[in-house]
Amino acid sequence: MAEQPLADVIVLFGGTGDLAQKMLFPSLYNLDADGFLAEGFGIIATARAEMTREAFVAQIKDAVSARVGGGGLDPKIWARFEERLQYVGADATTPAGAAELKAALGGAKTPIYYLALSPSIYGRVCAALADAGMAGPGTRIVLEKPIGRDLESSKVINGAVAAVFPEESIFRIDHYLGKETVQNLLALRFANTLFEPLWNNLTIDHVQITVAETEGVGDRWPYYDEYGALRDMVQNHMLQLLCLVAMEPPSDMEPDSVRNEKVKVLRSLRPVTRADVQTVSVRGQYTPGVTSGAAVSGYEAERGQPTGTETFVALRADIDNWRWAGVPFFLRTGKRLPERRTQIAIQFKPVPHSIFEGAAKADLAANRLVIDLQPDEDIELLLMNKAPGLSERGMRLQSLPLSLSLAKAYSGPNSRRRIAYERLILDVIQNNSTLFVRRDEVERAWEWIDGVADAWRESSMAPKPYAAGSWGPAGAFALIERSGRAWYD
């Protein structure tokens, strides 16, 4: 990769919001603590609220302290970090607001504009930056999801941003791609001769991707009721994970080499139609139940009236190419499920012939590779080995989980589990877009998701109820059991 200029300032739009306070500022502090922020690198937060710099700095100190934990803030590092901070109270969609930001930038030549805002105003912010002469060469812009709620609206938002910034300057962020274990999936596949020859329909039976959340929608219902689980989770996080599992080996780690292969996967997804939507998808909505030992209300009670929005989705996705022909990918995600878990389970086929007899034959289980992303990051390979000891019935077999986790990497005195945003912000600073999503990726994903949503509408497929604290509607189990398989729990 050609040497790129480092960014010299980051402007956080929506700097007083939850994302900035809980993730972005703590990530920047950690990058500073590890020596990744150059001397003179500036951090400017902007929001409409009027606030003195002193009040803003105190707010950020509290937010970073709460996230860093452990021994708290290092006084020397905080003193250095505090010097970087500025606050501009302004409406960034107006000429006056953009002018205030321009003055705060001073002589910065390679600014990052991080839009932790509603995507509906991305275009207006970009237009204001352009009118103020703040979108020249060297600038970079970071966009948070969701970029639209369907293909049409996504094209409108992407088009408005593209009218000001070239594609190579646009960083569409999906924080899942910043997780160590997601990046480790690339290393596992492409840095080892052990796995890649087995990564196909000859040896893999099926793949499961689960994103389960225990919390409900709560006061986020105005946003969630417009998007639902399909648009909120499947379109971005889950399809990105699917692409990383299924893509062909890229020629190198250059941004376009990786993203080209992901787009090929999205192009190969079999469309979901009205004819098959009932057998390859399940919609659900949680009703009152018990989660984490506490009684909780249903989604309609949180919203205040009946709604047809799904809070649970299960899908069977098929990739029509040579590598994956005949290998189903089962996806499920939902609110108010029994546990918080994000996991990829790759189930291998059983051995073609068992040489074992009796009890040992019954013990035999197929290998499985399980990649956990949250709450803990871990990679586990399930192997078979001989059970220790003697048995009157001859040899017995048992499953042996082989941990490939990063536990040792985090065991040193200066080691810790990083916030996913740290990796991604550092990549923006270094102008490396490998772990970011290209426009055609976003639009291909929306095209497939729109097909699912259209099939639901055409077949009048309403969400099925499921009790909070359960694993979704009964249909979710039938979806996978029809193929003679079961969810990995």
Side-chain angles (χ1 to χ4, degrees), residues 293-440:
V296 295
S297 58
Y299 177 58
E300 288 190 348
E302 291 176 341
R303 190 188 184 283
Q305 66 185 71
T307 174
T309 299
E310 78 283 349
T311 62
F312 176 95
V313 177
L315 290 164
R316 170 177 171 153
D318 289 272
I319 300 172
D320 291 332
N321 62 22
W322 278 28
R323 181 183 289 262
W324 296 111
V327 178
F329 284 68
F330 295 101
L331 317 179
R332 63 173 173 173
T333 183
K335 300 284 190 181
R336 289 292 189 212
L337 298 183
E339 62 184 76
R340 177 173 174 258
R341 183 206 305 174
T342 300
Q343 184 182 79
I344 303 167
I346 298 157
Q347 181 67 58
F348 291 90
K349 293 180 178 180
V351 293
H353 170 69
S354 175
I355 65 171
F356 303 98
E357 298 295 336
K361 187 172 184 177
D363 293 336
L364 194 61
N367 303 129
R368 182 188 298 123
L369 181 66
V370 179
I371 301 166
D372 287 311
L373 280 72
Q374 62 182 25
D376 298 313
E377 296 188 58
D378 192 17
I379 300 176
E380 183 179 270
L381 179 62
L382 189 71
L383 301 174
M384 296 302 299
N385 77 323
K386 177 190 174 296
L390 302 176
S391 170
E392 292 180 351
R393 293 179 290 172
M395 182 185 293
R396 296 300 303 270
L397 301 176
Q398 67 177 10
S399 298
L400 175 67
L402 176 63
S403 177
L404 306 175
S405 73
L406 302 177
K408 291 184 179 179
Y410 296 126
S411 61
N414 299 316
S415 299
R416 58 178 175 80
R417 293 186 181 272
R418 293 190 177 277
I419 303 170
Y421 281 95
E422 293 177 43
R423 169 76 269 165
L424 298 172
I425 292 173
L426 181 59
D427 280 354
V428 181
I429 291 172
Q430 296 177 335
N431 207 23
N432 179 1
S433 57
T434 300
L435 295 176
F436 294 82
V437 184
R438 206 167 58 191
R439 177 174 179 171
D440 55 344

Side-chain angles (χ1 to χ4, degrees), residues 180-196 199 244 247 250 253 371 379 404 406:
E180 289 282 358
T181 313
V182 172
Q183 296 169 63
N184 226 6
L185 175 59
L186 295 175
L188 194 74
R189 285 192 61 187
F190 304 127
N192 297 285
T193 58
L194 177 63
F195 290 106
E196 186 55 28
W199 214 263
L244 291 176
M247 72 181 190
M253 284 296 288
I371 301 166
I379 300 176
L404 306 175
L406 302 177

Side-chain angles (χ1 to χ4, degrees), residues 65-85:
S65 297
R67 190 67 170 85
V68 171
L73 301 180
D74 182 299
K76 291 183 179 178
I77 296 171
W78 172 254
R80 184 174 70 219
F81 186 74
E82 180 182 358
E83 287 297 313
R84 303 180 187 276
L85 299 175

Side-chain angles (χ1 to χ4, degrees), residues 253-266:
M253 284 296 288
E254 289 289 311
D256 280 340
S257 299
V258 173
R259 296 188 292 186
N260 286 345
E261 299 305 332
K262 290 197 287 179
V263 170
K264 289 178 185 177
V265 174
L266 294 171

Side-chain angles (χ1 to χ4, degrees), residues 123-136:
R124 291 162 56 197
V125 172
C126 290
L129 293 175
D131 290 343
M134 299 168 63

